[in-house]
Amino acid sequence: MNSSKGEWGSNFGFLMAAVGSAVGLGNLWGFPYKMGMNGGFAFLLFYLILAVLVGYVIMLGELTIGRSTGKGVIAAYSSLSKKYAFLGWMAFLCPILILAFYCSLGGYCLKYTIANLGDFFGASWGVNGVDTAEYFVKFYTNGLEASIFAVIFSIITVIIVMRGVSGGIEKFSKVAMPALFVLLLVVIVRGVTLPGAIGGLKFMFAPNWEVFNGSGWVSVLATAGGQMFFSLSLGMGCIITYGAYLSKKENIEVNALIIPFADTVVAIMAGLAVFPAVFAMGMEPAGGPGLLFITLQAVFDAMGAAGPIFGFLLYLLVFIAALTSSISLMEVVVSVIIDRKEEKGCVANRKNISVIFGLILCVLTILISVDSLGEGGLPKLLGFCWLDFFDLLSEGIMMPVGALLMSLIIGWKLGENWMREELCQEGNQWKMAKFSMFCLKFIAPVGMAMILLGQLDGFFKLGIFS
């Protein structure tokens, strides 16, 4: 273990950090709006199946690569074979691209947290009954204001990461994740007790097979797969990096089961926090990306005096979830730079590395914020706004390609014995070896290929699944 980077103080701390990496905007924003646009129950069903057959085994593979090498993503893949180094570089670039727009969106969450607090106190900086769509547009098209909130979010991320693995990331996650769970429960209880909330529960859980009448189910499957993959932080280096700090005595197989399970529970809870309230207020569940900042804000506005309280709680928990993911993304970059410095015989100063990268991050996220989702006047990149272009390169291409190749490498090249050597350290057993290897060889590659096609179809409107 490389002491300059540190290691987890406890397995609970690791789990909270790893679950925190997985639980982010993908759960609390992406899951509800994609579920709303893809028929509810059918989306959930596909999500659960893919989490078991694909998400779990890729999580298992990435944790194994991380702990077996004890390195950041570039050095980790290079340790397996020099010809796999390009996968490490892809996993290194993905977090940089994602962080650029993630911090911008994290700034949106911070803005709405403060705005709902303003409504509670009757302050001028609240939403104050303004049409929610108009309020959202006015905010994100104000490049200066959006940049300020994005930079604040970036600075908070840097401060946590610069304090180290156990002293910063683990300490924050051990408080933030239980707090997020409690906040979700509070919002859920309020939502499901609203008159008419039963419609939201039926939308999520009542079997509905209409999507299987034609070929539309393939599109729903691809969307659910993409959501599951991004939500679990797979293919972006986070799990490999966190696995590198894991003690040899910890059971990787158990951890690889707990993380997707906890992440899926939070995703379902996010749906429970959203859809009962949306149906109770007679609003449209298929609100798209605007569900979080437009539809839900309208729900809170319609709740009367209690609205700002629950609005504040919901946006606060989304902010916390976004932060637990952003610190894992930044740790991928910091870990790689520390590796590179030590390979050259230099002393790696985590604080200096964090601050320098933090400055680069602030510049990138300001560019994203100033672009205002394509309305800020900056030149288009291959016809996309800056946020969508960064998302295309990372989530659309590099992440699924990287995970696809990783599953093939472990399944067909490194093999079961290589996995067993790492998983069975210090008396631990690998109880699901046959299932895991079958999925890594056959199910995961097919699933990842479909996810890749689904991502490309979504970005370029290719009509592959129509």
Side-chain angles (χ1 to χ4, degrees), residues 88-101:
W89 279 103
M90 286 169 57
F92 171 71
L93 292 173
C94 278
I96 298 174
L97 295 170
I98 295 170
L99 270 171
F101 64 82

Side-chain angles (χ1 to χ4, degrees), residues 36 275 278-279 282-288 291 295:
F275 291 117
V278 168
F279 274 81
M283 295 183 180
E284 177 56 53
L291 183 66
T295 307

Side-chain angles (χ1 to χ4, degrees), residues 26-355:
N27 297 74
L28 300 179
W29 181 15
F31 185 87
Y33 96 69
K34 290 178 182 176
M35 188 178 191
M37 295 181 70
N38 289 275
F41 173 79
F43 177 88
L44 177 61
L45 178 64
F46 283 138
Y47 185 95
L48 294 175
I49 293 172
L50 288 167
V52 172
L53 298 180
V54 180
Y56 157 68
V57 293
I58 294 200
M59 176 75 65
L60 181 73
E62 292 198 347
L63 283 174
T64 304
I65 289 173
R67 196 177 71 173
S68 67
T69 62
K71 299 290 185 180
V73 286
I74 295 177
Y77 275 110
S78 297
S79 297
L80 299 178
S81 173
K82 293 296 183 183
K83 61 185 178 182
Y84 302 148
F86 76 97
L87 290 173
W89 279 103
M90 286 169 57
F92 171 71
L93 292 173
C94 278
I96 298 174
L97 295 170
I98 295 170
L99 270 171
F101 64 82
Y102 208 91
C103 288
S104 182
L105 296 175
Y108 288 17
C109 300
L110 180 57
K111 163 70 176 180
Y112 272 72
T113 304
I114 294 172
N116 277 271
L117 190 63
D119 278 349
F120 177 75
F121 289 109
S124 59
W125 33 273
V127 179
N128 292 319
V130 175
D131 177 79
T132 55
E134 178 185 341
Y135 185 84
F136 180 56
V137 172
K138 184 178 179 181
F139 168 64
Y140 81 72
T141 55
N142 185 333
L144 177 60
E145 185 180 14
S147 295
I148 290 172
F149 280 100
V151 168
I152 292 172
F153 186 91
S154 303
I155 290 172
I156 296 172
T157 300
V158 171
I159 290 172
I160 296 171
V161 172
M162 70 189 295
R163 293 178 63 85
V165 175
S166 60
I169 300 171
E170 180 175 356
K171 187 176 290 186
F172 174 78
S173 299
K174 285 167 72 173
V175 175
M177 293 314 298
L180 183 146
F181 186 79
V182 172
L183 287 174
L184 257 179
L185 284 177
V186 171
V187 175
I188 288 170
V189 169
R190 178 58 184 138
V192 299
T193 54
L194 290 169
I198 189 67
L201 298 177
K202 289 181 178 178
F203 178 76
M204 289 184 67
F205 301 117
N208 181 349
W209 311 109
E210 290 181 8
V211 71
F212 294 99
N213 292 336
S215 61
W217 67 270
V218 183
S219 178
V220 176
L221 176 64
T223 303
Q227 171 60 29
M228 176 276 303
F229 180 69
F230 185 76
S231 176
L232 287 175
S233 296
L234 301 174
M236 59 179 76
C238 300
I239 302 303
I240 291 176
T241 302
Y242 277 11
Y245 307 144
L246 196 58
S247 166
K248 295 291 185 182
K249 69 180 181 181
E250 306 299 350
N251 191 314
I252 289 181
E253 183 179 33
V254 172
N255 286 327
L257 285 167
I258 291 174
I259 296 167
F261 176 78
D263 179 74
T264 302
V265 168
V266 172
I268 294 173
M269 289 176 70
L272 290 171
V274 171
F275 291 117
V278 168
F279 274 81
M281 295 301 168
M283 295 183 180
E284 177 56 53
L291 183 66
L292 180 62
F293 297 115
I294 298 176
T295 307
L296 272 181
Q297 186 58 55
V299 168
F300 297 133
D301 287 351
M303 282 186 179
I309 298 174
F310 289 98
F312 169 76
L313 291 176
L314 185 130
Y315 289 114
L316 176 62
L317 70 88
V318 176
F319 168 75
I320 293 172
L323 200 54
T324 57
S325 293
S326 68
I327 60 178
S328 70
L329 289 164
M330 183 170 174
E331 181 62 22
V332 175
V333 179
V334 170
S335 175
V336 166
I337 297 173
I338 290 176
D339 283 343
R340 306 292 279 189
K341 282 188 168 293
E342 291 181 341
E343 286 172 5
K344 296 177 180 178
C346 302
V347 177
N349 187 308
R350 169 179 283 271
K351 290 184 178 180
N352 290 345
I353 293 170
S354 300
V355 170

